[in-house]
Amino acid sequence: MSKSIQSVQCEHLDKMDIVWDRPDTLIDVPMHYCPGCGHSVVHRLIMEVVQELNIQDITIGVAPVGCSVFSYNYMDVDMQEAAHGRATAVATGIKRVLPDKIIYSYQGDGDLAAIGTAETIHTINRGENIVMIFVNNGIYGMTGGQMAPTTLKGSVTSTTPTGRDLSIHGHPLNIAEMIAILPGAYYVTRQAVNSAKTVRKTKKALLRGFKNQIDGKGGVSFIEVVSNCPSGWKMTPLQSNKWLDDNMLGTYPLGDIKVPEKIA
Amino acid sequence: MAKLHGHVTINIENCKGCELCTDACPQNSLNMSKNINKKGYHYAILVEENCTGCTNCALVCPEAVMTVYRENKNRIIKPAPMASIDSKNISVSIS
Ligand SMILES: Cc1ncc(C[n+]2csc(CCOP(=O)(O)OP(=O)(O)O)c2C)c(N)n1
Ligand code: SF4
Ligand code: SF4
Ligand code: SF4
Ligand SMILES: [Mg+2]
């Protein structure tokens, strides 16, 4: 792999420890995402966890429809594409037929909280022992920035040109809080990937989610990641991560929403 | 205790110029090159020798192009010799 032509050289790299490197489980190809897109970071974190838990050979992911539709090109585990919104139904089928495999679904907010709401709720209500990863960027990124159920009040999108009006378009849907009351939800948390600090916490949450499944107890581990969509939000990556802090987190506060007592 | 000495190498051809790493670096060790890679992006480069190997840049980088090195306290090494930090002198060879 061609490494950089650096302006600052270091002559004794061989005597230093590598403290961070790309996980081998993340396929070494450029991703198709827009510059600065949080999907890439979430993919990498899932693959770091799969590598650290040494479960690459037994992990099966389910990809959604949305910008992350091609995520199977990047995550080096067995993957199955699902129809729009149906990832958790497909994940349910795989887990029930192959209970010894580690199953995760990966979905955007349009996929999980709009067209797939029924599948989302019933998968969690059945208490399937899977990890559900929910990348909430408050918009339909792939199709050109339409309003999603998760879009913030007042947000301008291609389908809400004058801003989301709660009296016409309804309220932002806090799906994590909603599903946390279901007995089948074992662990529910909301994290973000817009800074080094939030990335570290998201990794810990993913680790916990996959460990829950390996332990085979409880039900769904639901990990929401509040993310950006610089293109859909019409911002630079830096602006989008700041906007996320200033606006998204008021409606979608970060932290654990439901933690089983034994792991609290 | 003195700050640890670190270093990063960057796979510049896969950098998309998002600037998230430069913003995340507490040492301001990174900057965007005036040159562009094959994709046409101004790529990130290490411009200062004050990197501590904290990994912040690698954690936020969507393209996972960073490798972060850190001095091992148990081994004795001298600090890196001063190198040119003039980013104008960097060129990318397009093969
Ligand atoms: C049955 C069906 N209806 C609608 C679409 C069009 N469509 C593709 S992706 C998408 C929404 C994607 O939004 P989200 O899930 O939030 O993903 P993002 O791109 O934001 O990550 C829609 C409506 C489709 N592909 N299939
Ligand atoms: S449209 Fe938005 S979600 Fe899709 S790749 Fe671009 S930035 Fe990411
Ligand atoms: S490792 Fe830390 S100090 Fe070094 S360049 Fe990256 S963010 Fe800056
Ligand atoms: S975060 Fe990664 S992709 Fe973005 S500018 Fe830095 S090295 Fe390039
Ligand atoms: Mg979305």
Side-chain angles (χ1 to χ4, degrees):
Chain A
M1 194 211 295
S2 72
K3 281 287 178 180
S4 64
I5 300 128
Q6 296 281 352
S7 52
V8 174
Q9 301 291 347
C10 185
E11 285 182 357
H12 48 252
L13 277 188
D14 53 329
K15 297 196 192 74
M16 292 171 104
D17 292 336
I18 291 180
V19 288
W20 199 94
D21 206 3
R22 192 186 165 88
D24 299 332
T25 40
L26 190 69
I27 300 171
D28 196 6
V29 291
M31 299 196 223
H32 72 281
Y33 298 110
C34 307
C37 178
H39 273 303
S40 326
V41 180
V42 181
H43 287 13
R44 191 196 77 220
L45 292 176
I46 299 168
M47 287 303 103
E48 286 180 24
V49 165
V50 163
Q51 183 155 315
E52 278 170 34
L53 295 175
N54 199 15
I55 53 171
Q56 184 180 16
D57 291 348
I58 55 163
T59 299
I60 304 172
V62 184
V65 171
C67 279
S68 48
V69 67
F70 295 132
S71 52
Y72 43 76
N73 288 339
Y74 311 129
M75 299 196 262
D76 198 3
V77 291
D78 284 337
M79 289 195 76
Q80 172 62 49
E81 176 59 48
H84 199 19
R86 317 304 184 223
T88 63
V90 173
T92 298
I94 300 175
K95 186 69 184 180
R96 288 189 175 207
V97 174
L98 303 168
D100 295 336
K101 303 286 181 191
I102 303 301
I103 313 299
Y104 70 90
S105 55
Y106 184 105
Q107 296 173 277
D109 46 328
D111 198 84
L112 181 143
I115 193 169
T117 314
E119 283 77 8
T120 299
I121 290 174
H122 289 293
T123 301
I124 297 166
N125 196 43
R126 289 190 305 267
E128 305 293 344
N129 186 24
I130 61 169
V131 177
M132 284 175 66
I133 296 153
F134 170 37
V135 179
N136 178 6
N137 55 14
I139 203 158
Y140 290 0
M142 183 197 196
T143 44
Q146 293 82 3
M147 189 196 90
T150 45
T151 299
L152 299 187
K153 177 187 167 193
S155 274
V156 173
T157 69
S158 58
T159 45
T160 55
T162 55
R164 182 177 189 163
D165 179 344
L166 300 189
S167 68
I168 300 172
H169 309 113
H171 295 259
L173 194 59
N174 284 47
I175 204 105
E177 280 83 355
M178 231 178 79
I179 56 93
I181 62 164
L182 299 174
Y186 184 68
Y187 169 51
V188 182
T189 189
R190 185 185 287 119
Q191 305 294 336
V193 286
N194 65 331
S195 66
K197 189 175 156 203
T198 50
V199 167
R200 285 189 178 92
K201 287 191 172 174
T202 300
K203 168 116 177 246
K204 278 193 190 139
L206 286 165
L207 257 174
R208 179 179 269 195
F210 278 90
K211 278 184 187 160
N212 289 344
Q213 185 176 165
I214 292 167
D215 292 345
K217 300 181 195 110
V220 169
S221 291
F222 186 94
I223 297 148
E224 173 172 348
V225 183
V226 183
S227 187
N228 62 356
C229 175
S231 298
W233 297 358
K234 305 200 182 339
M235 292 177 196
T236 66
L238 281 173
Q239 286 168 340
S240 72
N241 277 349
K242 170 114 191 11
W243 193 87
L244 190 159
D245 260 336
D246 297 343
N247 298 276
M248 293 281 278
L249 302 188
T251 304
Y252 303 112
L254 303 185
D256 288 338
I257 295 163
K258 185 177 190 181
V259 181
E261 268 168 44
K262 52 186 164 302
I263 60 168
Chain B
M1 197 192 85
K3 277 194 171 159
L4 282 177
H5 182 60
H7 191 77
V8 297
T9 57
I10 306 165
N11 178 6
I12 53 172
E13 288 306 335
N14 282 2
C15 169
K16 286 188 190 155
C18 70
E19 302 184 26
L20 297 182
C21 56
T22 58
D23 190 61
C25 177
Q27 299 287 103
N28 292 321
S29 313
L30 299 164
N31 211 335
M32 304 311 293
S33 172
K34 293 185 177 64
N35 298 309
I36 55 171
N37 61 16
K38 286 179 202 166
K39 288 192 179 80
Y41 293 112
H42 291 282
Y43 49 85
I45 44 168
L46 187 69
V47 292
E48 300 286 348
E49 293 195 350
N50 56 358
C51 169
T52 58
C54 73
T55 75
N56 276 13
C57 54
L59 293 179
V60 299
C61 175
E63 313 307 323
V65 298
M66 302 275 182
T67 305
V68 184
Y69 296 82
R70 201 185 295 152
E71 170 189 357
N72 185 331
K73 280 179 284 178
N74 302 322
R75 300 185 212 165
I76 300 152
I77 39 172
K78 342 189 264 290
M82 210 43 202
S84 161
I85 53 168
D86 181 5
S87 57
K88 278 176 290 193
N89 292 335
I90 303 157
S91 58
V92 196
S93 55
I94 298 174
S95 48

